[in-house]
Amino acid sequence: MPDPAPSRATSLPVGSDADLARVRRQIRQAAAGLGFGLVQQTKLVTAASELARNTLVHGGGGHVEIIPLTLGEPRGLRLSFVDHGPGISDVELAMTDGYTSGGGLGLGLSGSRRLVDEFTLDTEPGTGTTVTVTSWTTALPAAQPGAR
């Protein structure tokens, strides 16, 4: 299957509560423009809100890349939240429901992972964290047997 073609990437700062509101608004608009249904939009914006807050609170701020994707009929939205903070020393623990390094419910990373179609976390203590999530308007077609 060919890689989806990105178009019109947008980078937004994540450095304040006002930025968090702007990020949520931009992501909802981008998702609606790609044809995401209301439930899909809500799931994606909820995941993005959690990840943007983590970028601000735990990573000391950073930015989000908002990348619309097209692959014929399925359209998607890829979001990369990037910070240069302390990184995550124990990813497995951080991805466990209920674990929190702050005062929250401990559902930010693990909850976000459940709300999107694709989730990757790249982190190293002392160098920062990048969390990339992708959601699609429809399920990606299954690979056909023998197809390359």
Side-chain angles (χ1 to χ4, degrees):
M1 175 181 299
D3 288 334
S7 61
R8 303 178 321 279
T10 303
S11 181
L12 297 174
V14 178
S16 69
D17 285 339
D19 290 340
L20 297 178
R22 187 175 305 108
V23 164
R24 286 190 296 267
R25 190 170 45 254
Q26 285 287 118
I27 291 169
R28 183 170 299 279
Q29 288 174 350
L34 287 166
F36 281 73
L38 184 58
V39 171
Q40 291 173 305
Q41 289 176 41
T42 302
K43 287 179 176 182
L44 185 57
V45 170
T46 299
S49 184
E50 291 293 331
L51 296 172
R53 178 150 301 281
N54 282 355
T55 299
L56 177 62
V57 172
H58 302 291
H63 70 277
V64 60
E65 295 285 328
I66 303 170
I67 306 165
L69 303 170
T70 57
L71 183 64
E73 176 52 32
R75 288 167 291 184
L77 199 56
R78 178 166 295 144
L79 310 172
S80 290
F81 297 85
V82 180
D83 71 58
H84 299 288
I88 301 171
S89 59
D90 188 337
V91 172
E92 187 175 335
L93 181 60
M95 292 299 296
T96 302
D97 284 349
Y99 172 78
T100 179
S101 61
L105 297 174
L107 296 172
L109 288 175
S110 60
S112 294
R113 179 178 56 190
R114 285 190 297 275
L115 293 171
V116 297
D117 297 314
E118 301 168 23
F119 181 100
T120 59
L121 189 151
D122 182 27
T123 187
E124 192 171 317
T127 63
T129 300
T130 299
V131 178
T132 302
V133 299
T134 305
S135 288
W136 296 96
T137 56
T138 59
L140 286 177
Q144 299 298 316
R148 291 182 188 247

